Amino acid sequence: MVTPTARAAATETGGVRDADDDPQGDGRRRFEELLASESRVEPTDWMPAAYRKTLIRQISQHAHSEIIGMQPEGNWITRAPSLKRKAILMAKVQDEAGHGLYLYSAAQTLGIDREEMFDQLITGRAKYSSIFNYTTPTWADMGSIGWLVDGAAICNQVPLCRASYGPYGRAMVRICKEESFHQRQGFEILLALMNGTEEQRAMAQESVNRWYAPALMMFGPPDADSPNSQQSMAWNIKRFSNDELRQRFVDMLVPQAEILGVTLPDPAIRWNEERGHYDFGDLDWTEFSEVLAGRGPANAVRVSRRRTAHENGAWVREAARAYADKQATASAASRASAAPEKIAS
Ligand code: BYC
């Protein structure tokens, strides 16, 4: 539900409000103080229109990523190699749905309706993480998604727990705890395969070869081509740049790959004593642009499945609305009957 304050704020100027409603500048001063003291901005605080808009953009894209992200793994629930693997995968996919719900709720506190966000997603107007436009042809892909995709998500999202917007930062705390379990289960799937037969080892390596570069692209374009980073960092939403986080991720991956016994598909990876980091090769940013433009291997199927699921769920939303209306009528009637009778004087 959108709060009345957020709704009023959002509808004033077609979705966002601006300095017009803060003529004395008190709201802006307080907002700047909150940022300077590393405090949280809450839904009822005044905030600049552009800050609200950026948050709605990032949080809704993040929510969509969680919901679309259920599809590549959902694909393997019926085909997981054992009952135990099936139960774990089902729990993980359910977690992603939960993450989507926390994030849609956080976005709603900024004055956007959930229906509007869903509409943007199913009509192809909203972005979601590029990574979910790749396919999952083998069981090893469940390992790579956990190890590489959830691993990248943790690198990116742990700093977001300190995001200046309260509802977003708080949602991220719980999400990160669950992502950490997801990352380990992916690592463990790959470890089991790497300790298996020659064929299983080859399957794990082939999958890592496909997921490595797209996982590095999850952090977004290089800093020089990232139009939003600087402002988002000044607002304490993002705490590190895209390239800083990508570097952290590679530094984390290399020793883990050694334990797994897989080779990261980048011959340029080597320890740089001077920088104290691993060097790594350039990524194919044309592929990234293609995926963002809707021309990745699975963009069309992801959005169309989401649209079908939304349409098939119409009766559930209708039933929930009818039930809520019935409850509201019943509680209004019981309040009316409990009210003391007026005694005519
Ligand atoms: N994919 O100025 P930039 C998960 C867009 S879910 C698509 O650097 P920003 C999981 C960007 O939106 C993981 N688009 O942007 C779930 C912008 O376009 P607009 C999702 C991307 O916002 C289920 C333009 O490129 N995580 O882990 O400063 C199962 C310029 O970029 C991408 C999040 O959403 C991309 N990879 O930084 C398993 C984390 N990268 O909006 C796992 C929250 C960039 O101007 N989001 N773009 O049209 C963020 O941290 C930031 O939004 C980003 C991008 C780092 C992603």
Side-chain angles (χ1 to χ4, degrees), residues 168-292:
Y168 190 32
R170 287 189 288 272
M172 291 316 305
V173 173
R174 176 144 179 201
I175 292 176
C176 283
K177 284 186 185 156
E178 293 174 355
E179 291 296 3
S180 153
F181 152 73
H182 295 173
Q183 197 259 358
R184 281 167 205 201
Q185 69 84 39
F187 185 88
E188 201 269 330
I189 288 176
L190 289 178
L191 192 62
L193 290 173
M194 290 306 288
N195 286 325
T197 62
E198 195 52 48
E199 210 180 349
Q200 287 171 320
R201 277 195 290 279
M203 189 203 281
Q205 181 63 58
E206 187 276 335
S207 171
V208 168
N209 291 350
R210 277 184 288 112
W211 288 91
Y212 168 79
L216 260 63
M217 291 179 194
M218 284 175 72
F219 296 95
D223 292 351
D225 302 322
S226 163
N228 302 299
S229 280
Q230 218 178 354
Q231 182 60 73
S232 289
M233 287 170 77
W235 278 328
N236 295 351
I237 298 172
K238 284 170 87 161
R239 298 296 183 146
F240 298 97
S241 76
N242 299 355
D243 287 332
E244 283 168 338
L245 290 172
R246 202 174 351 261
Q247 178 69 66
R248 274 187 182 205
F249 183 52
V250 173
D251 290 347
M252 184 187 97
L253 281 187
V254 175
Q256 293 182 0
E258 276 164 22
I259 296 169
L260 282 175
V262 295
T263 307
L264 294 174
D266 177 359
I269 292 181
R270 68 179 56 85
W271 178 250
N272 183 324
E273 194 64 51
E274 210 173 301
R275 294 199 309 120
H277 292 289
Y278 285 95
D279 288 338
F280 56 98
D282 290 337
L283 295 164
D284 179 359
W285 292 108
T286 313
E287 174 181 318
F288 179 73
S289 311
E290 283 294 293
V291 173
L292 258 58

Side-chain angles (χ1 to χ4, degrees), residues 30-86:
R30 163 122 181 98
F31 174 77
E32 302 292 350
E33 274 165 24
L34 288 174
L35 294 189
S37 59
E38 290 284 329
S39 303
R40 301 272 206 201
V41 177
E42 296 298 340
T44 48
D45 291 325
W46 184 93
M47 62 189 84
Y51 175 82
R52 185 185 295 276
K53 196 171 165 201
T54 282
L55 282 166
I56 291 177
R57 178 184 67 79
Q58 178 164 328
I59 302 172
S60 64
Q61 285 178 4
H62 194 163
H64 298 327
S65 306
E66 300 284 355
I67 297 300
I68 294 282
M70 294 165 73
Q71 290 187 34
E73 291 175 303
N75 185 34
W76 276 93
I77 291 176
T78 54
R79 294 182 284 154
S82 70
L83 183 59
K84 185 178 139 203
R85 294 287 185 200
K86 193 190 290 267

Side-chain angles (χ1 to χ4, degrees), residues 130-187:
S130 48
I131 195 74
F132 302 116
N133 293 306
Y134 292 85
T135 56
T136 49
T138 73
W139 168 249
D141 293 337
M142 299 304 97
S144 294
I145 290 187
W147 180 44
L148 296 171
V149 176
D150 293 303
I154 294 170
C155 263
N156 174 258
Q157 291 170 197
V158 165
L160 289 175
C161 296
R162 293 190 291 119
S164 55
Y165 188 57
Y168 190 32
R170 287 189 288 272
M172 291 316 305
V173 173
R174 176 144 179 201
I175 292 176
C176 283
K177 284 186 185 156
E178 293 174 355
E179 291 296 3
S180 153
F181 152 73
H182 295 173
Q183 197 259 358
R184 281 167 205 201
Q185 69 84 39
F187 185 88

